[in-house]
Amino acid sequence: MTEESTPESADTAGQTIAVLGGTGDQGRGLARRFALAGHTVVIGSRSAERAQKAARELVEGESARIDVRGLDNAAAAAAGDIVIVAVPWDGHRELLEGLVEPLAGKIVVDCVNPLGFDERGPYALEVAEGSAAEQAARILEGSRVTAAFHHVSAVVLLDPGVEQVDLDVLVLGEDRAATDEVRALAGRIPGVRGVFGGRLRNAHQVEALTANLIAVNRRYKTHAGLRITGL
Amino acid sequence: MTEESTPESADTAGQTIAVLGGTGDQGRGLARRFALAGHTVVIGSRSAERAQKAARELVEGESARIDVRGLDNAAAAAAGDIVIVAVPWDGHRELLEGLVEPLAGKIVVDCVNPLGFDERGPYALEVAEGSAAEQAARILEGSRVTAAFHHVSAVVLLDPGVEQVDLDVLVLGEDRAATDEVRALAGRIPGVRGVFGGRLRNAHQVEALTANLIAVNRRYKTHAGLRITGL
């Protein structure tokens, strides 16, 4: 492993992590893992009540003490030092257009996969901006938009029996310091390694690859992830 | 590893492998590895002379005896039991339109990555049919078109110091028996595992992901590959 692959200089330890759309499976899974890593985590949802309920259930599900709170998405965006966007693709644009101000200057981590499903399985949707991450960057001009955590299995993240998550997280973005911070954040989940994966214009295929991993899951009855070899 | 991930029933051992565009780095790398695995390999090129020269150089480069011949692309297509398409994207359509007949009924393995390069690095090109593999399937209606070997590093395949190649090969296609055969073929390279990766409509992102792996290579000074976890 090269020095490059462990961004130890980027210290995310004291930061509050907000997860917008944090009541969904992927959002709750990430919230749980970052809370277990010692972060204060704020779950955001359209309804503050639903967010609070999801937060309470996460806290009650752990024997360790974790700090997870629930707020509406705007309040969560304001509260987070790093803000993860884990909403369904359907509501992505609308949500972000309403959060330009609270997200200004912050690291935003888009992990949305624009996928469709039909009788033949999953497939990648076309996105006018190229990808969910590029749409986010277009809307959130004042934020430091990155893309990451596309391939994490919510089932694995939520499974109390899985301590080590066997996964590399590809982190994309234009802002080197921001991608380094998100790589460090990924590395706070035991077993996970954050790997720089290119510029945002190459985010589409990383998002869309989730369709292939779903195909792998169906064929092999598993929860597939990725590792990058050669590092 | 599940039974699914080792398609031992698909026995490719006695088959002749043709590599169209086999004088390029990726083609030569694959030709070398399949020849070392005991296959008769036919390198195809626009010029039979260049193909013969590349074949001769591969044979002379090995201490083991390997069987590699050079032919023009049409003769190579006719000679192969399984035909790998490893030409530059630029010549992809034209080549295949001329090979509809010799490729009829055969397993065709498209491993072409439609990429562009500019001062900011590599990026995925738009393909009207969706992907190189779907373009091949559209042109070669009578062939069993699969997509695979997108992420193999030519440098690694050609390196005599690398015996075990640390890589999973995603194999896509509509024809289960064909993808099983190609998975078995991938498995004949020591260290490599063939993994079913979905339908051809999800080939674009697998091809395009090569741009991200190039970004990884540049950042980390390596030859990156993929492994699928959870299998």
mmCIF file of all heavy atoms in Angstrom, chain A residues 118 120-122 166 176 183 196-197 199 201-202 205 208 212 216 219-220 222 224-225 227-230, chain B residues 118 120-122 166 176 196-197 199 201-202 205 208 212 216 219-220 222 224-230:
data_model
loop_
_atom_site.group_PDB
_atom_site.id
_atom_site.type_symbol
_atom_site.label_atom_id
_atom_site.label_comp_id
_atom_site.label_asym_id
_atom_site.label_seq_id
_atom_site.Cartn_x
_atom_site.Cartn_y
_atom_site.Cartn_z
ATOM 1 N N ASP A 118 -36.684 -3.068 -14.259
ATOM 2 C CA ASP A 118 -37.817 -3.633 -14.986
ATOM 3 C C ASP A 118 -37.741 -5.154 -14.864
ATOM 4 O O ASP A 118 -36.991 -5.672 -14.025
ATOM 5 C CB ASP A 118 -37.846 -3.155 -16.449
ATOM 6 C CG ASP A 118 -36.627 -3.601 -17.241
ATOM 7 O OD1 ASP A 118 -35.929 -4.550 -16.802
ATOM 8 O OD2 ASP A 118 -36.363 -3.012 -18.304
ATOM 9 N N ARG A 120 -36.325 -7.288 -16.469
ATOM 10 C CA ARG A 120 -35.012 -7.858 -16.759
ATOM 11 C C ARG A 120 -33.970 -7.435 -15.728
ATOM 12 O O ARG A 120 -32.798 -7.756 -15.869
ATOM 13 C CB ARG A 120 -34.559 -7.476 -18.165
ATOM 14 C CG ARG A 120 -35.469 -8.093 -19.250
ATOM 15 C CD ARG A 120 -35.301 -7.385 -20.582
ATOM 16 N NE ARG A 120 -33.972 -7.545 -21.128
ATOM 17 C CZ ARG A 120 -33.293 -6.595 -21.778
ATOM 18 N NH1 ARG A 120 -33.817 -5.388 -21.935
ATOM 19 N NH2 ARG A 120 -32.117 -6.833 -22.267
ATOM 20 N N GLY A 121 -34.401 -6.708 -14.721
ATOM 21 C CA GLY A 121 -33.471 -6.355 -13.659
ATOM 22 C C GLY A 121 -33.131 -4.873 -13.659
ATOM 23 O O GLY A 121 -33.864 -4.046 -14.210
ATOM 24 N N PRO A 122 -32.005 -4.526 -13.048
ATOM 25 C CA PRO A 122 -31.626 -3.114 -12.903
ATOM 26 C C PRO A 122 -30.895 -2.593 -14.132
ATOM 27 O O PRO A 122 -30.282 -3.359 -14.873
ATOM 28 C CB PRO A 122 -30.674 -3.145 -11.708
ATOM 29 C CG PRO A 122 -30.033 -4.498 -11.796
ATOM 30 C CD PRO A 122 -31.062 -5.429 -12.372
ATOM 31 N N ASP A 166 -15.712 -5.686 3.827
ATOM 32 C CA ASP A 166 -14.700 -6.033 2.819
ATOM 33 C C ASP A 166 -14.959 -5.230 1.540
ATOM 34 O O ASP A 166 -15.594 -5.713 0.606
ATOM 35 C CB ASP A 166 -14.784 -7.537 2.549
ATOM 36 C CG ASP A 166 -13.641 -8.044 1.677
ATOM 37 O OD1 ASP A 166 -12.721 -7.254 1.393
ATOM 38 O OD2 ASP A 166 -13.688 -9.224 1.286
ATOM 39 N N ARG A 176 -8.910 18.052 -4.330
ATOM 40 C CA ARG A 176 -8.054 17.030 -3.742
ATOM 41 C C ARG A 176 -8.233 16.899 -2.232
ATOM 42 O O ARG A 176 -8.342 15.796 -1.690
ATOM 43 C CB ARG A 176 -6.587 17.351 -4.086
ATOM 44 C CG ARG A 176 -5.538 16.518 -3.392
ATOM 45 C CD ARG A 176 -5.554 15.081 -3.914
ATOM 46 N NE ARG A 176 -4.548 14.279 -3.255
ATOM 47 C CZ ARG A 176 -3.373 13.951 -3.801
ATOM 48 N NH1 ARG A 176 -3.080 14.356 -5.020
ATOM 49 N NH2 ARG A 176 -2.512 13.212 -3.130
ATOM 50 N N ARG A 183 -12.000 10.102 1.747
ATOM 51 C CA ARG A 183 -11.283 8.828 1.827
ATOM 52 C C ARG A 183 -10.974 8.476 3.282
ATOM 53 O O ARG A 183 -11.123 7.328 3.699
ATOM 54 C CB ARG A 183 -9.982 8.891 1.021
ATOM 55 C CG ARG A 183 -10.229 8.916 -0.493
ATOM 56 C CD ARG A 183 -8.958 9.292 -1.250
ATOM 57 N NE ARG A 183 -7.865 8.430 -0.905
ATOM 58 C CZ ARG A 183 -6.594 8.794 -0.812
ATOM 59 N NH1 ARG A 183 -6.247 10.059 -1.057
ATOM 60 N NH2 ARG A 183 -5.665 7.935 -0.492
ATOM 61 N N PHE A 196 -9.000 7.053 -4.226
ATOM 62 C CA PHE A 196 -9.349 8.088 -5.202
ATOM 63 C C PHE A 196 -9.738 7.427 -6.519
ATOM 64 O O PHE A 196 -8.991 6.598 -7.051
ATOM 65 C CB PHE A 196 -8.175 9.039 -5.414
ATOM 66 C CG PHE A 196 -8.445 10.065 -6.493
ATOM 67 C CD1 PHE A 196 -9.336 11.108 -6.268
ATOM 68 C CD2 PHE A 196 -7.832 9.972 -7.733
ATOM 69 C CE1 PHE A 196 -9.600 12.045 -7.263
ATOM 70 C CE2 PHE A 196 -8.092 10.901 -8.733
ATOM 71 C CZ PHE A 196 -8.982 11.942 -8.488
ATOM 72 N N GLY A 197 -10.890 7.818 -7.067
ATOM 73 C CA GLY A 197 -11.407 7.126 -8.252
ATOM 74 C C GLY A 197 -11.592 7.994 -9.479
ATOM 75 O O GLY A 197 -12.194 7.551 -10.449
ATOM 76 N N ARG A 199 -12.154 12.018 -11.551
ATOM 77 C CA ARG A 199 -12.917 13.266 -11.562
ATOM 78 C C ARG A 199 -14.417 12.998 -11.621
ATOM 79 O O ARG A 199 -14.849 11.915 -12.006
ATOM 80 C CB ARG A 199 -12.521 14.090 -12.788
ATOM 81 C CG ARG A 199 -11.100 14.612 -12.740
ATOM 82 C CD ARG A 199 -10.775 15.352 -14.031
ATOM 83 N NE ARG A 199 -9.426 15.878 -14.008
ATOM 84 C CZ ARG A 199 -9.089 17.056 -13.481
ATOM 85 N NH1 ARG A 199 -10.017 17.817 -12.929
ATOM 86 N NH2 ARG A 199 -7.846 17.459 -13.507
ATOM 87 N N ARG A 201 -16.513 13.881 -13.747
ATOM 88 C CA ARG A 201 -17.045 13.505 -15.063
ATOM 89 C C ARG A 201 -16.976 11.997 -15.290
ATOM 90 O O ARG A 201 -17.585 11.494 -16.229
ATOM 91 C CB ARG A 201 -16.304 14.239 -16.179
ATOM 92 C CG ARG A 201 -14.858 13.835 -16.348
ATOM 93 C CD ARG A 201 -14.281 14.512 -17.579
ATOM 94 N NE ARG A 201 -12.867 14.240 -17.737
ATOM 95 C CZ ARG A 201 -12.165 14.622 -18.790
ATOM 96 N NH1 ARG A 201 -12.748 15.301 -19.769
ATOM 97 N NH2 ARG A 201 -10.890 14.351 -18.877
ATOM 98 N N ASN A 202 -16.246 11.293 -14.449
ATOM 99 C CA ASN A 202 -16.223 9.834 -14.507
ATOM 100 C C ASN A 202 -17.039 9.198 -13.389
ATOM 101 O O ASN A 202 -16.814 8.029 -13.027
ATOM 102 C CB ASN A 202 -14.777 9.334 -14.495
ATOM 103 C CG ASN A 202 -14.103 9.533 -15.843
ATOM 104 O OD1 ASN A 202 -14.702 9.266 -16.888
ATOM 105 N ND2 ASN A 202 -12.879 10.033 -15.836
ATOM 106 N N GLN A 205 -20.242 6.090 -14.446
ATOM 107 C CA GLN A 205 -20.050 4.635 -14.498
ATOM 108 C C GLN A 205 -19.888 4.031 -13.109
ATOM 109 O O GLN A 205 -20.214 2.856 -12.912
ATOM 110 C CB GLN A 205 -18.864 4.268 -15.390
ATOM 111 C CG GLN A 205 -17.563 4.940 -15.063
ATOM 112 C CD GLN A 205 -17.333 6.183 -15.909
ATOM 113 O OE1 GLN A 205 -18.287 6.853 -16.300
ATOM 114 N NE2 GLN A 205 -16.084 6.503 -16.188
ATOM 115 N N ALA A 208 -23.452 3.795 -11.981
ATOM 116 C CA ALA A 208 -24.176 2.789 -12.769
ATOM 117 C C ALA A 208 -23.703 1.378 -12.478
ATOM 118 O O ALA A 208 -24.457 0.409 -12.630
ATOM 119 C CB ALA A 208 -24.015 3.099 -14.263
ATOM 120 N N ASN A 212 -24.621 -3.590 -12.025
ATOM 121 C CA ASN A 212 -23.874 -4.836 -12.220
ATOM 122 C C ASN A 212 -23.708 -5.585 -10.906
ATOM 123 O O ASN A 212 -23.797 -6.811 -10.868
ATOM 124 C CB ASN A 212 -22.509 -4.526 -12.835
ATOM 125 C CG ASN A 212 -22.631 -3.781 -14.148
ATOM 126 O OD1 ASN A 212 -22.834 -2.571 -14.141
ATOM 127 N ND2 ASN A 212 -22.568 -4.491 -15.265
ATOM 128 N N VAL A 216 -24.728 -9.304 -9.899
ATOM 129 C CA VAL A 216 -23.867 -10.269 -9.193
ATOM 130 C C VAL A 216 -24.595 -10.820 -7.968
ATOM 131 O O VAL A 216 -24.621 -12.039 -7.737
ATOM 132 C CB VAL A 216 -22.534 -9.610 -8.778
ATOM 133 C CG1 VAL A 216 -21.727 -10.540 -7.871
ATOM 134 C CG2 VAL A 216 -21.710 -9.229 -10.009
ATOM 135 N N ARG A 219 -27.243 -13.375 -9.058
ATOM 136 C CA ARG A 219 -26.700 -14.633 -9.578
ATOM 137 C C ARG A 219 -26.053 -15.464 -8.475
ATOM 138 O O ARG A 219 -26.196 -16.681 -8.430
ATOM 139 C CB ARG A 219 -25.680 -14.344 -10.682
ATOM 140 C CG ARG A 219 -24.880 -15.552 -11.165
ATOM 141 C CD ARG A 219 -25.711 -16.588 -11.911
ATOM 142 N NE ARG A 219 -26.208 -16.098 -13.183
ATOM 143 C CZ ARG A 219 -25.607 -16.257 -14.359
ATOM 144 N NH1 ARG A 219 -24.473 -16.921 -14.414
ATOM 145 N NH2 ARG A 219 -26.130 -15.770 -15.462
ATOM 146 N N TYR A 220 -25.304 -14.800 -7.592
ATOM 147 C CA TYR A 220 -24.495 -15.541 -6.623
ATOM 148 C C TYR A 220 -25.091 -15.524 -5.214
ATOM 149 O O TYR A 220 -24.474 -16.034 -4.296
ATOM 150 C CB TYR A 220 -23.068 -14.989 -6.593
ATOM 151 C CG TYR A 220 -22.346 -15.097 -7.925
ATOM 152 C CD1 TYR A 220 -22.359 -14.041 -8.841
ATOM 153 C CD2 TYR A 220 -21.657 -16.252 -8.275
ATOM 154 C CE1 TYR A 220 -21.703 -14.133 -10.058
ATOM 155 C CE2 TYR A 220 -20.997 -16.365 -9.488
ATOM 156 C CZ TYR A 220 -21.026 -15.301 -10.377
ATOM 157 O OH TYR A 220 -20.373 -15.408 -11.577
ATOM 158 N N THR A 222 -25.485 -13.110 -2.925
ATOM 159 C CA THR A 222 -24.504 -12.531 -2.019
ATOM 160 C C THR A 222 -24.752 -11.035 -1.891
ATOM 161 O O THR A 222 -25.758 -10.510 -2.395
ATOM 162 C CB THR A 222 -23.073 -12.804 -2.531
ATOM 163 O OG1 THR A 222 -22.136 -12.376 -1.537
ATOM 164 C CG2 THR A 222 -22.781 -12.078 -3.840
ATOM 165 N N ALA A 224 -22.353 -8.284 -2.908
ATOM 166 C CA ALA A 224 -21.052 -8.063 -3.524
ATOM 167 C C ALA A 224 -20.530 -6.657 -3.248
ATOM 168 O O ALA A 224 -21.296 -5.711 -3.080
ATOM 169 C CB ALA A 224 -21.146 -8.289 -5.032
ATOM 170 N N GLY A 225 -19.219 -6.545 -3.213
ATOM 171 C CA GLY A 225 -18.552 -5.250 -3.133
ATOM 172 C C GLY A 225 -17.354 -5.266 -4.059
ATOM 173 O O GLY A 225 -17.113 -6.239 -4.774
ATOM 174 N N ARG A 227 -13.080 -4.494 -4.556
ATOM 175 C CA ARG A 227 -11.743 -4.146 -4.090
ATOM 176 C C ARG A 227 -10.923 -3.739 -5.296
ATOM 177 O O ARG A 227 -11.078 -4.310 -6.372
ATOM 178 C CB ARG A 227 -11.059 -5.338 -3.409
ATOM 179 C CG ARG A 227 -11.533 -5.665 -2.013
ATOM 180 C CD ARG A 227 -11.055 -4.647 -1.001
ATOM 181 N NE ARG A 227 -11.353 -5.085 0.369
ATOM 182 C CZ ARG A 227 -11.281 -4.271 1.421
ATOM 183 N NH1 ARG A 227 -10.913 -3.007 1.266
ATOM 184 N NH2 ARG A 227 -11.561 -4.715 2.624
ATOM 185 N N ILE A 228 -10.081 -2.746 -5.109
ATOM 186 C CA ILE A 228 -9.149 -2.350 -6.156
ATOM 187 C C ILE A 228 -7.835 -3.055 -5.873
ATOM 188 O O ILE A 228 -7.256 -2.894 -4.793
ATOM 189 C CB ILE A 228 -8.947 -0.824 -6.169
ATOM 190 C CG1 ILE A 228 -10.292 -0.095 -6.253
ATOM 191 C CG2 ILE A 228 -8.022 -0.417 -7.326
ATOM 192 C CD1 ILE A 228 -11.073 -0.332 -7.521
ATOM 193 N N THR A 229 -7.351 -3.819 -6.844
ATOM 194 C CA THR A 229 -6.075 -4.516 -6.665
ATOM 195 C C THR A 229 -4.935 -3.629 -7.184
ATOM 196 O O THR A 229 -5.151 -2.697 -7.956
ATOM 197 C CB THR A 229 -6.066 -5.851 -7.416
ATOM 198 O OG1 THR A 229 -6.239 -5.599 -8.818
ATOM 199 C CG2 THR A 229 -7.194 -6.748 -6.950
ATOM 200 N N GLY A 230 -3.739 -3.938 -6.726
ATOM 201 C CA GLY A 230 -2.566 -3.202 -7.197
ATOM 202 C C GLY A 230 -2.197 -2.038 -6.297
ATOM 203 O O GLY A 230 -1.232 -1.325 -6.582
ATOM 204 N N ASP B 118 -8.179 13.788 -22.815
ATOM 205 C CA ASP B 118 -7.831 15.190 -23.027
ATOM 206 C C ASP B 118 -6.877 15.611 -21.913
ATOM 207 O O ASP B 118 -6.352 14.753 -21.194
ATOM 208 C CB ASP B 118 -9.089 16.068 -23.123
ATOM 209 C CG ASP B 118 -9.892 16.086 -21.826
ATOM 210 O OD1 ASP B 118 -9.345 15.715 -20.766
ATOM 211 O OD2 ASP B 118 -11.072 16.486 -21.881
ATOM 212 N N ARG B 120 -7.330 16.724 -19.138
ATOM 213 C CA ARG B 120 -7.766 16.355 -17.786
ATOM 214 C C ARG B 120 -7.777 14.845 -17.580
ATOM 215 O O ARG B 120 -8.211 14.375 -16.537
ATOM 216 C CB ARG B 120 -9.132 16.956 -17.490
ATOM 217 C CG ARG B 120 -9.091 18.497 -17.444
ATOM 218 C CD ARG B 120 -10.488 19.084 -17.594
ATOM 219 N NE ARG B 120 -11.347 18.760 -16.482
ATOM 220 C CZ ARG B 120 -12.641 18.475 -16.587
ATOM 221 N NH1 ARG B 120 -13.223 18.451 -17.771
ATOM 222 N NH2 ARG B 120 -13.361 18.208 -15.524
ATOM 223 N N GLY B 121 -7.351 14.104 -18.590
ATOM 224 C CA GLY B 121 -7.279 12.660 -18.423
ATOM 225 C C GLY B 121 -8.309 11.913 -19.254
ATOM 226 O O GLY B 121 -8.836 12.452 -20.228
ATOM 227 N N PRO B 122 -8.598 10.669 -18.865
ATOM 228 C CA PRO B 122 -9.511 9.830 -19.651
ATOM 229 C C PRO B 122 -10.972 10.098 -19.289
ATOM 230 O O PRO B 122 -11.280 10.541 -18.182
ATOM 231 C CB PRO B 122 -9.124 8.417 -19.215
ATOM 232 C CG PRO B 122 -8.667 8.585 -17.797
ATOM 233 C CD PRO B 122 -8.027 9.945 -17.704
ATOM 234 N N ASP B 166 -3.914 -10.695 -10.296
ATOM 235 C CA ASP B 166 -4.845 -10.441 -9.190
ATOM 236 C C ASP B 166 -6.051 -9.664 -9.701
ATOM 237 O O ASP B 166 -6.116 -8.442 -9.600
ATOM 238 C CB ASP B 166 -4.089 -9.652 -8.107
ATOM 239 C CG ASP B 166 -4.884 -9.516 -6.817
ATOM 240 O OD1 ASP B 166 -5.950 -10.142 -6.698
ATOM 241 O OD2 ASP B 166 -4.429 -8.765 -5.932
ATOM 242 N N ARG B 176 -26.506 -17.469 -21.274
ATOM 243 C CA ARG B 176 -25.896 -18.020 -20.068
ATOM 244 C C ARG B 176 -24.733 -18.955 -20.383
ATOM 245 O O ARG B 176 -23.665 -18.875 -19.763
ATOM 246 C CB ARG B 176 -26.978 -18.752 -19.258
ATOM 247 C CG ARG B 176 -26.492 -19.568 -18.078
ATOM 248 C CD ARG B 176 -26.016 -18.665 -16.945
ATOM 249 N NE ARG B 176 -25.550 -19.450 -15.817
ATOM 250 C CZ ARG B 176 -26.253 -19.641 -14.699
ATOM 251 N NH1 ARG B 176 -27.434 -19.092 -14.553
ATOM 252 N NH2 ARG B 176 -25.756 -20.350 -13.716
ATOM 253 N N PHE B 196 -19.880 -13.497 -13.444
ATOM 254 C CA PHE B 196 -20.987 -12.967 -14.241
ATOM 255 C C PHE B 196 -21.306 -11.549 -13.772
ATOM 256 O O PHE B 196 -21.492 -11.306 -12.585
ATOM 257 C CB PHE B 196 -22.224 -13.856 -14.104
ATOM 258 C CG PHE B 196 -23.426 -13.291 -14.816
ATOM 259 C CD1 PHE B 196 -23.483 -13.296 -16.197
ATOM 260 C CD2 PHE B 196 -24.476 -12.735 -14.101
ATOM 261 C CE1 PHE B 196 -24.583 -12.758 -16.866
ATOM 262 C CE2 PHE B 196 -25.579 -12.203 -14.759
ATOM 263 C CZ PHE B 196 -25.632 -12.212 -16.144
ATOM 264 N N GLY B 197 -21.384 -10.615 -14.717
ATOM 265 C CA GLY B 197 -21.538 -9.205 -14.357
ATOM 266 C C GLY B 197 -22.794 -8.536 -14.881
ATOM 267 O O GLY B 197 -22.905 -7.325 -14.770
ATOM 268 N N ARG B 199 -26.295 -8.173 -17.756
ATOM 269 C CA ARG B 199 -26.708 -8.169 -19.163
ATOM 270 C C ARG B 199 -25.914 -7.133 -19.953
ATOM 271 O O ARG B 199 -25.336 -6.206 -19.401
ATOM 272 C CB ARG B 199 -28.198 -7.829 -19.263
ATOM 273 C CG ARG B 199 -29.116 -8.878 -18.671
ATOM 274 C CD ARG B 199 -30.573 -8.414 -18.740
ATOM 275 N NE ARG B 199 -31.470 -9.423 -18.221
ATOM 276 C CZ ARG B 199 -31.955 -10.439 -18.939
ATOM 277 N NH1 ARG B 199 -31.617 -10.569 -20.216
ATOM 278 N NH2 ARG B 199 -32.766 -11.318 -18.388
ATOM 279 N N ARG B 201 -26.917 -4.683 -21.589
ATOM 280 C CA ARG B 201 -27.349 -3.289 -21.425
ATOM 281 C C ARG B 201 -26.633 -2.608 -20.255
ATOM 282 O O ARG B 201 -26.715 -1.388 -20.118
ATOM 283 C CB ARG B 201 -28.862 -3.210 -21.257
ATOM 284 C CG ARG B 201 -29.373 -3.785 -19.959
ATOM 285 C CD ARG B 201 -30.860 -3.474 -19.839
ATOM 286 N NE ARG B 201 -31.453 -4.110 -18.666
ATOM 287 C CZ ARG B 201 -32.698 -3.929 -18.285
ATOM 288 N NH1 ARG B 201 -33.491 -3.118 -18.970
ATOM 289 N NH2 ARG B 201 -33.172 -4.527 -17.217
ATOM 290 N N ASN B 202 -25.976 -3.406 -19.422
ATOM 291 C CA ASN B 202 -25.164 -2.839 -18.347
ATOM 292 C C ASN B 202 -23.667 -2.923 -18.649
ATOM 293 O O ASN B 202 -22.833 -2.893 -17.744
ATOM 294 C CB ASN B 202 -25.506 -3.517 -17.015
ATOM 295 C CG ASN B 202 -26.841 -3.027 -16.458
ATOM 296 O OD1 ASN B 202 -27.111 -1.826 -16.475
ATOM 297 N ND2 ASN B 202 -27.687 -3.938 -16.006
ATOM 298 N N GLN B 205 -21.114 0.854 -18.366
ATOM 299 C CA GLN B 205 -20.373 1.299 -17.178
ATOM 300 C C GLN B 205 -19.153 0.431 -16.908
ATOM 301 O O GLN B 205 -18.176 0.903 -16.323
ATOM 302 C CB GLN B 205 -21.283 1.386 -15.956
ATOM 303 C CG GLN B 205 -22.056 0.137 -15.611
ATOM 304 C CD GLN B 205 -23.453 0.146 -16.229
ATOM 305 O OE1 GLN B 205 -23.692 0.749 -17.270
ATOM 306 N NE2 GLN B 205 -24.388 -0.522 -15.578
ATOM 307 N N ALA B 208 -16.651 1.823 -19.323
ATOM 308 C CA ALA B 208 -16.265 3.180 -18.932
ATOM 309 C C ALA B 208 -15.436 3.208 -17.654
ATOM 310 O O ALA B 208 -14.629 4.126 -17.444
ATOM 311 C CB ALA B 208 -17.520 4.044 -18.763
ATOM 312 N N ASN B 212 -11.791 5.215 -14.795
ATOM 313 C CA ASN B 212 -11.520 5.379 -13.365
ATOM 314 C C ASN B 212 -10.273 4.601 -12.959
ATOM 315 O O ASN B 212 -9.478 5.072 -12.133
ATOM 316 C CB ASN B 212 -12.723 4.906 -12.550
ATOM 317 C CG ASN B 212 -13.990 5.650 -12.917
ATOM 318 O OD1 ASN B 212 -14.621 5.325 -13.926
ATOM 319 N ND2 ASN B 212 -14.342 6.665 -12.166
ATOM 320 N N VAL B 216 -6.925 5.851 -11.140
ATOM 321 C CA VAL B 216 -6.273 5.187 -10.004
ATOM 322 C C VAL B 216 -4.797 4.935 -10.330
ATOM 323 O O VAL B 216 -3.905 5.232 -9.518
ATOM 324 C CB VAL B 216 -6.981 3.855 -9.668
ATOM 325 C CG1 VAL B 216 -6.184 3.061 -8.623
ATOM 326 C CG2 VAL B 216 -8.398 4.100 -9.171
ATOM 327 N N ARG B 219 -2.837 8.214 -10.055
ATOM 328 C CA ARG B 219 -2.673 8.717 -8.694
ATOM 329 C C ARG B 219 -1.736 7.853 -7.878
ATOM 330 O O ARG B 219 -0.918 8.353 -7.107
ATOM 331 C CB ARG B 219 -4.048 8.823 -8.014
ATOM 332 C CG ARG B 219 -4.026 9.123 -6.522
ATOM 333 C CD ARG B 219 -3.552 10.536 -6.184
ATOM 334 N NE ARG B 219 -4.460 11.564 -6.642
ATOM 335 C CZ ARG B 219 -5.435 12.104 -5.926
ATOM 336 N NH1 ARG B 219 -5.623 11.698 -4.689
ATOM 337 N NH2 ARG B 219 -6.199 13.043 -6.431
ATOM 338 N N TYR B 220 -1.878 6.529 -8.012
ATOM 339 C CA TYR B 220 -1.155 5.626 -7.128
ATOM 340 C C TYR B 220 0.053 4.966 -7.798
ATOM 341 O O TYR B 220 0.695 4.114 -7.193
ATOM 342 C CB TYR B 220 -2.105 4.547 -6.577
ATOM 343 C CG TYR B 220 -3.263 5.106 -5.768
ATOM 344 C CD1 TYR B 220 -4.488 5.373 -6.361
ATOM 345 C CD2 TYR B 220 -3.111 5.395 -4.413
ATOM 346 C CE1 TYR B 220 -5.555 5.889 -5.636
ATOM 347 C CE2 TYR B 220 -4.157 5.913 -3.668
ATOM 348 C CZ TYR B 220 -5.381 6.158 -4.290
ATOM 349 O OH TYR B 220 -6.411 6.672 -3.563
ATOM 350 N N THR B 222 0.335 2.672 -10.240
ATOM 351 C CA THR B 222 0.153 1.221 -10.170
ATOM 352 C C THR B 222 -0.534 0.741 -11.433
ATOM 353 O O THR B 222 -0.742 1.509 -12.383
ATOM 354 C CB THR B 222 -0.676 0.844 -8.916
ATOM 355 O OG1 THR B 222 -0.697 -0.572 -8.774
ATOM 356 C CG2 THR B 222 -2.103 1.362 -9.008
ATOM 357 N N ALA B 224 -3.929 -0.960 -11.616
ATOM 358 C CA ALA B 224 -5.046 -1.366 -10.784
ATOM 359 C C ALA B 224 -5.932 -2.385 -11.491
ATOM 360 O O ALA B 224 -6.051 -2.390 -12.724
ATOM 361 C CB ALA B 224 -5.879 -0.142 -10.407
ATOM 362 N N GLY B 225 -6.551 -3.228 -10.710
ATOM 363 C CA GLY B 225 -7.564 -4.151 -11.201
ATOM 364 C C GLY B 225 -8.713 -4.201 -10.223
ATOM 365 O O GLY B 225 -8.730 -3.446 -9.233
ATOM 366 N N LEU B 226 -9.685 -5.051 -10.494
ATOM 367 C CA LEU B 226 -10.865 -5.173 -9.650
ATOM 368 C C LEU B 226 -10.948 -6.574 -9.054
ATOM 369 O O LEU B 226 -10.611 -7.548 -9.712
ATOM 370 C CB LEU B 226 -12.154 -4.991 -10.459
ATOM 371 C CG LEU B 226 -12.593 -3.619 -10.912
ATOM 372 C CD1 LEU B 226 -13.994 -3.732 -11.485
ATOM 373 C CD2 LEU B 226 -12.551 -2.635 -9.773
ATOM 374 N N ARG B 227 -11.424 -6.658 -7.828
ATOM 375 C CA ARG B 227 -11.903 -7.905 -7.279
ATOM 376 C C ARG B 227 -13.328 -7.671 -6.796
ATOM 377 O O ARG B 227 -13.646 -6.588 -6.296
ATOM 378 C CB ARG B 227 -11.059 -8.370 -6.087
ATOM 379 C CG ARG B 227 -9.715 -8.963 -6.445
ATOM 380 C CD ARG B 227 -9.857 -10.353 -7.010
ATOM 381 N NE ARG B 227 -8.553 -11.007 -7.159
ATOM 382 C CZ ARG B 227 -8.366 -12.092 -7.890
ATOM 383 N NH1 ARG B 227 -9.386 -12.672 -8.540
ATOM 384 N NH2 ARG B 227 -7.171 -12.633 -7.992
ATOM 385 N N ILE B 228 -14.177 -8.654 -6.973
ATOM 386 C CA ILE B 228 -15.528 -8.600 -6.427
ATOM 387 C C ILE B 228 -15.526 -9.325 -5.092
ATOM 388 O O ILE B 228 -15.147 -10.507 -5.030
ATOM 389 C CB ILE B 228 -16.546 -9.267 -7.382
ATOM 390 C CG1 ILE B 228 -16.426 -8.677 -8.791
ATOM 391 C CG2 ILE B 228 -17.959 -9.125 -6.849
ATOM 392 C CD1 ILE B 228 -16.784 -7.226 -8.906
ATOM 393 N N THR B 229 -15.933 -8.637 -4.036
ATOM 394 C CA THR B 229 -15.974 -9.276 -2.718
ATOM 395 C C THR B 229 -17.356 -9.896 -2.505
ATOM 396 O O THR B 229 -18.328 -9.563 -3.169
ATOM 397 C CB THR B 229 -15.692 -8.254 -1.607
ATOM 398 O OG1 THR B 229 -16.704 -7.227 -1.632
ATOM 399 C CG2 THR B 229 -14.341 -7.591 -1.805
ATOM 400 N N GLY B 230 -17.408 -10.813 -1.561
ATOM 401 C CA GLY B 230 -18.676 -11.447 -1.219
ATOM 402 C C GLY B 230 -18.933 -12.740 -1.986
ATOM 403 O O GLY B 230 -19.984 -13.365 -1.792
#
